[in-house]
């Protein structure tokens, strides 16, 4: 194990859960009993040899009692760990999702989606097993120490011999474990690459078929598969060497032990019971070393998972400044204002000196050629990125002074390709507003209710992934309806009429003109029809905003 992983692990959990403490107590009791049982068994054999009937039955009774306690402990450690595991998984999964939600744009771009998907499933399960494996390593080390003490007490030379044999066995297993962990880490990296490419293929399956890209993509996938396959085989070679070659070290030692102990028995220096006890302890010693290495291998693999999860929950790169602490009460008539705002991306100046006011109760249209930085302005308003210099104000207050969650409750953004969840229309709306009456009222207001009612199951109609069972216009109206259900007064629309037909665009224009008195509306658009309804039209050109309202 890497130094400090135990401390880091419990720092991530925040505290040592009660179930884990109870689990540890059960494991300690069970392992101590497993060391006592061979002693009792050895004593029974010696008593049988000298025909001590009463004492033999007494020790059999003791043995039965210890077996019963051991089984109760086994039940307890499984019960307590199962409760720890489920609570740990739920808590860490929640924290992963909450952390992802807090990411700004740069952090989102730095972290591949495939890694997040794999981490939120396989890695979480993996590290929830980590305390069990770490504690078993500790207990196996304790058992190992106890058995070495027994051998040394019996015969110092014998004790040193079995210690050296198992040290060599341990050392080789440890080398193989670290090799295997390196190969496992590489496997996970290649698996992320394959998952990411598969996700892209699924997202663009239509284009993949139309452009006949299957052959080219298969070559890329095959490259990834071969890399994964190679790392898997190298890791498997380590396992094969452990199980078929390295084990010879302790097997040779066991033969030597047999010869030594047989000589001691024939010389009457050792009883049959002691002979069997020492052989049993030698096998336990071998088992303990192997289990220490097996658990260590698991922990090394889990450490890879731990680092992946930690990189999501505690990202190394911190982009955001100190988070605001002011709570923001819902504003009735909000205004937005930019004062000499500049922003650069990869050392390229996107915005140079943007100063503008966006009033409430009007439609403000921001236009300009592609790539000039219009969407960047939305990202700045949403606090996904921060300006290089200058300030943005919400109703006279700097936006960074507000707690992010409360601030974002005031803003709704609709994009040209809105994301709709693979669930019913009602469930999509309920993510924003659970009040069914409000849902229906908003839908009626924008002319969406009648369209929904014509669907097979009305509001309960399940939308396919990316809402492919709706037309582009229906999907856009649905996203607009969902946006209006949010109790916010700031509506940001980014090229949301692109690719819509004339009829749907005119319908949306009509809706916007009707609702503008209740909202601050800022629209990014090239569409002349949208520009014409703007009460205020702003042109972004060469990093500067000009008011070009006619």
């Amino acid at each position: 194990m890497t130094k400090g992983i135990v401390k880091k692990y419990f720092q991530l959990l925040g505290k040592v859960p009660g179930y884990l403490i109870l689990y540890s107590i059960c494991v300690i009791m069970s392992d101590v009993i497993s060391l006592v049982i061979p002693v009792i068994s050895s004593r029974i054999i010696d008593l049988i040899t000298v025909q001590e009937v009463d004492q033999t039955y007494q020790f059999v009774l003791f043995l039965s009692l210890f077996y019963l306690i051991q089984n109760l402990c086994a039940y307890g450690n499984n019960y307590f760990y199962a409760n720890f595991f489920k609570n740990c998984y739920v808590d860490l999964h929640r924290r992963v999702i909450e952390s992802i939600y807090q990411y700004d744009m740069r952090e989102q771009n730095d972290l591949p989606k495939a890694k997040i998907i794999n981490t939120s499933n396989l890695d979480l399960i993996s590290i929830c097993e980590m305390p069990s494996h770490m504690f078993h390593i500790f207990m196996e080390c304790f058992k190992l120490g106890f058995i070495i003490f027994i051998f040394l007490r019996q015969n110092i030379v014998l004790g040193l011999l079995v210690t050296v044999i198992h040290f060599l066995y341990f050392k080789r297993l440890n080398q193989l474990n670290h090799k295997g962990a390196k190969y496992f880490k590489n496997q996970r990296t290649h698996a992320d690459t394959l998952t990411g490419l598969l996700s892209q293929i699924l997202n663009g399956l239509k284009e993949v078929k139309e452009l006949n890209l299957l052959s080219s993509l298969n070559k890329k996938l095959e490259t990834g598969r071969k890399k994964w396959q190679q790392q898997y085989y190298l890791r498997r070679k380590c396992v094969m060497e452990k199980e078929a070659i390295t084990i010879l070290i302790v097997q040779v030692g066991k033969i030597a032990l047999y010869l030594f102990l047989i000589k001691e028995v024939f010389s009457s220096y050792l009883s049959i019971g002691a002979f069997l006890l020492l052989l049993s302890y030698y096998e336990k010693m071998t088992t303990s070393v192997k289990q220490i290495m097996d658990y260590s291998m698991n922990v090394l693999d889990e450490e890879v998972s731990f680092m992946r999860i930690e990189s999501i929950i505690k990202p190394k790169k911190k982009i955001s400044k100190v988070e605001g602490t002011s709570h923001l009460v819902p504003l009735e008539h909000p205004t937005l204002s930019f004062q000499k705002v500049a922003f650069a991306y990869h050392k390229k100046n996107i915005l140079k000196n943007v100063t503008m006011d966006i009033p409430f109760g009007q439609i403000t249209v921001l236009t300009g050629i592609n790539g000039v930085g219009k969407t960047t302005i939305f990202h700045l308003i949403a606090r996904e990125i921060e300006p290089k210099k200058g300030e943005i104000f919400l109703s006279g207050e700097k936006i960074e002074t507000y707690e992010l969650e409360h601030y974002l409750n005031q803003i709704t953004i609709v994009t040209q390709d809105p994301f709709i969840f693979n669930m019913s229309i009602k469930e999509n709306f309920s993510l924003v507003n659970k009040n069914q009456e409000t849902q229906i009222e908003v839908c009626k207001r924008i002319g969406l209710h009648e369209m929904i009612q014509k669907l097979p199951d009305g509001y309960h109609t399940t939308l396919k992934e990316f809402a492919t069972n709706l037309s582009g216009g229906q999907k856009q109206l649905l996203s607009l309806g969902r946006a209006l259900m949010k109790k916010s007064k700031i509506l940001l629309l980014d090229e949301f009429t692109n690719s819509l037909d004339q009829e749907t665009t005119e319908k949306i224009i009509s809706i916007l003109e009707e609702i503008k008195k209740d909202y601050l509306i800022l629209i990014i658009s090239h569409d002349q029809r949208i520009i014409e309804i703007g009460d205020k039209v702003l042109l972004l050109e060469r990093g500067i905003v000009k008011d070009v309202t006619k």
Side-chain angles (χ1 to χ4, degrees):
M1 289 186 294
T2 301
K3 188 178 179 181
I5 186 63
V6 177
K7 183 180 178 182
K8 285 182 180 180
Y9 183 85
F10 287 106
Q11 282 177 343
L12 184 67
L13 290 187
K15 61 179 180 179
V16 181
Y19 281 121
L20 203 54
I21 294 170
L22 293 171
Y23 161 79
S24 304
I25 293 169
C26 287
V27 171
I28 290 170
M29 290 177 64
S30 180
D31 283 352
V32 168
I33 289 170
S34 73
L35 292 172
V36 174
I37 285 175
V39 177
I40 297 174
S41 300
S42 170
R43 183 61 179 156
I44 290 170
I45 290 167
D46 284 338
L47 289 170
I48 291 171
T49 305
V50 296
Q51 296 187 350
E52 290 284 349
V53 179
D54 290 342
Q55 285 191 48
T56 301
Y57 285 124
Q58 284 178 7
F59 273 88
V60 170
L61 183 63
F62 289 149
L63 186 63
S64 303
L65 183 62
F66 276 108
Y67 275 134
L68 177 63
I69 295 170
Q70 190 177 40
N71 288 334
L72 288 172
C73 289
Y75 178 85
N77 69 45
N78 280 289
Y79 173 80
F80 293 129
Y81 203 81
N83 279 280
F84 159 76
F85 187 101
K86 66 180 184 181
N87 293 338
C88 179
Y89 179 88
V90 169
D91 178 60
L92 289 175
H93 191 276
R94 184 184 298 117
R95 288 170 62 190
V96 165
I97 301 304
E98 287 172 353
S99 295
I100 292 167
Y101 183 74
Q102 296 296 327
Y103 278 7
D104 61 29
M105 276 185 64
R106 295 183 192 180
E107 289 168 326
Q108 288 173 32
N109 294 334
D110 286 346
L111 200 62
K113 290 180 183 177
K115 180 179 177 180
I116 295 174
I117 291 167
N118 287 338
T119 295
S120 64
N121 183 22
L122 299 175
D123 290 326
L124 282 179
I125 292 171
S126 179
I127 73 160
C128 288
E129 293 286 5
M130 203 172 184
S132 170
H133 296 147
M134 289 191 292
F135 192 72
H136 276 298
I137 290 171
F138 169 77
M139 287 308 300
E140 292 301 330
C141 287
F142 167 76
K143 288 197 287 187
L144 206 55
F146 176 82
I147 293 168
I148 290 171
F149 170 76
I150 295 294
F151 272 104
L152 288 170
R153 190 179 175 192
Q154 180 68 34
N155 184 297
I156 292 177
V157 174
L158 182 64
L160 290 173
L161 178 64
V162 297
T163 302
V164 169
I165 288 168
H166 284 90
F167 173 75
L168 293 173
Y169 181 51
F170 173 89
K171 189 174 181 181
R172 184 54 187 157
L173 288 180
N174 191 44
Q175 289 171 346
L176 292 170
N177 273 2
H178 280 85
K179 277 187 179 181
K182 182 183 76 173
Y183 299 140
F184 177 73
K185 184 178 180 180
N186 294 339
Q187 269 183 262
R188 294 307 307 272
T189 301
H190 296 316
D192 286 343
T193 303
L194 288 169
T195 303
L197 186 52
L198 178 59
S199 175
Q200 293 177 64
I201 290 170
L202 291 173
N203 288 341
L205 193 57
K206 184 172 176 288
E207 287 81 0
V208 169
K209 289 179 178 179
E210 288 173 351
L211 297 171
N212 196 22
L213 301 177
L214 185 60
S215 177
S216 300
L217 289 168
N218 251 332
K219 286 179 183 177
K220 285 184 173 293
L221 286 167
E222 194 58 35
T223 302
R225 291 188 199 110
K226 284 180 178 178
K227 287 179 179 178
W228 182 93
Q229 191 180 47
Q230 182 189 33
Q231 297 303 310
Y232 170 80
Y233 178 71
L234 290 171
R235 187 168 187 262
R236 195 66 196 170
K237 275 181 69 177
C238 294
V239 175
M240 289 187 288
E241 184 176 337
K242 282 196 293 184
E243 294 182 355
I245 299 173
T246 312
I247 192 68
L248 288 171
I249 297 171
V250 289
Q251 287 173 343
V252 170
K254 189 174 182 181
I255 297 299
L257 179 66
Y258 260 107
L259 294 172
F260 180 87
L261 294 179
I262 288 169
K263 178 178 174 294
E264 293 291 291
V265 171
F266 285 155
S267 302
S268 300
Y269 293 128
L270 198 67
S271 68
I272 296 297
F275 172 80
L276 294 173
L277 176 64
L278 290 172
L279 283 177
S280 171
Y281 273 160
Y282 184 88
E283 289 177 355
K284 276 188 174 293
M285 196 173 182
T286 302
T287 302
S288 287
V289 171
K290 188 175 185 307
Q291 287 189 337
I292 287 170
M293 288 296 97
D294 287 345
Y295 289 133
S296 295
M297 185 69 180
N298 289 332
V299 171
L300 286 169
D301 289 349
E302 289 154 0
E303 192 173 347
V304 173
S305 296
F306 174 82
M307 300 305 288
R308 287 160 62 93
I309 289 170
E310 191 180 42
S311 72
I312 293 175
I313 292 179
K314 296 178 178 179
K316 289 181 181 178
K317 292 183 179 181
K318 290 292 182 183
I319 306 299
S320 300
K321 296 175 184 175
V322 177
E323 176 60 49
T325 55
S326 301
H327 289 272
L328 181 58
V329 254
L331 299 169
E332 286 300 317
H333 300 93
T335 59
L336 280 169
S337 177
F338 279 57
Q339 296 295 323
K340 298 181 179 178
V341 171
F343 179 79
Y345 185 68
H346 291 319
K347 297 182 180 180
K348 180 183 177 182
N349 290 324
I350 306 297
L351 305 177
K352 295 178 182 176
N353 189 17
V354 172
T355 297
M356 62 179 179
D357 295 313
I358 306 158
F360 179 83
Q362 294 183 18
I363 295 174
T364 302
V365 179
L366 178 64
T367 190
I369 62 172
N370 285 333
V372 78
K374 301 185 298 298
T375 302
T376 300
I377 285 176
F378 275 18
H379 293 320
L380 286 165
I381 294 172
R383 287 170 63 181
E384 293 172 347
I385 53 177
E386 294 175 354
K388 182 180 176 182
K389 66 177 182 178
E391 301 290 349
I392 304 170
F393 297 88
L394 173 60
S395 295
E397 296 289 335
K398 294 178 183 179
I399 60 173
E400 64 267 20
T401 60
Y402 297 113
E403 192 175 83
L404 184 61
E405 185 178 351
H406 291 272
Y407 173 77
L408 292 178
N409 282 336
Q410 308 295 315
I411 297 169
T412 301
I413 300 176
V414 180
T415 65
Q416 62 179 340
D417 188 19
F419 183 80
I420 307 291
F421 285 93
N422 179 204
M423 54 182 70
S424 73
I425 292 173
K426 182 183 176 183
E427 287 172 318
N428 267 283
F429 288 158
S430 295
L431 293 172
V432 177
N433 191 319
K434 293 181 180 179
N435 189 308
Q436 194 170 354
E437 290 181 2
T438 302
Q439 293 176 14
I440 294 171
E441 181 186 332
V442 170
C443 288
K444 284 181 175 178
R445 185 179 184 186
I446 64 173
L448 191 57
H449 178 71
E450 188 178 338
M451 181 272 286
I452 293 174
Q453 291 291 63
K454 289 178 181 178
L455 294 173
D457 297 308
Y459 283 85
H460 296 282
T461 300
T462 299
L463 300 175
K464 294 179 182 179
E465 195 169 7
F466 305 112
T468 53
N469 49 339
L470 296 180
S471 69
Q474 289 173 328
K475 183 179 175 182
Q476 201 61 273
L477 282 171
L478 200 70
S479 67
L480 181 59
R482 183 177 62 179
L484 297 178
M485 288 171 199
K486 186 178 174 184
K487 295 176 181 178
S488 60
K489 295 288 186 177
I490 299 174
L491 192 58
L492 309 178
L493 309 174
D494 186 1
E495 301 283 10
F496 75 116
T497 58
N498 273 17
S499 306
L500 295 185
D501 58 58
Q502 176 78 16
E503 184 181 347
T504 307
T505 301
E506 287 177 358
K507 187 173 186 178
I508 288 175
I509 287 172
S510 175
I511 293 166
L512 292 175
E513 289 184 316
E514 181 192 338
I515 66 171
K516 72 177 183 180
K517 64 181 183 299
D518 300 318
Y519 291 89
L520 178 159
I521 300 176
L522 175 60
I523 306 173
I524 291 174
S525 184
H526 294 97
D527 192 330
Q528 189 59 37
R529 294 164 297 181
I530 298 296
I531 294 172
E532 286 172 1
I533 65 165
D535 298 296
K536 186 173 186 178
V537 180
L538 304 172
L539 174 66
L540 180 56
E541 190 175 44
R542 296 177 184 174
I544 299 171
V545 168
K546 301 174 184 176
D547 190 333
V548 293
T549 308
K550 291 181 181 178

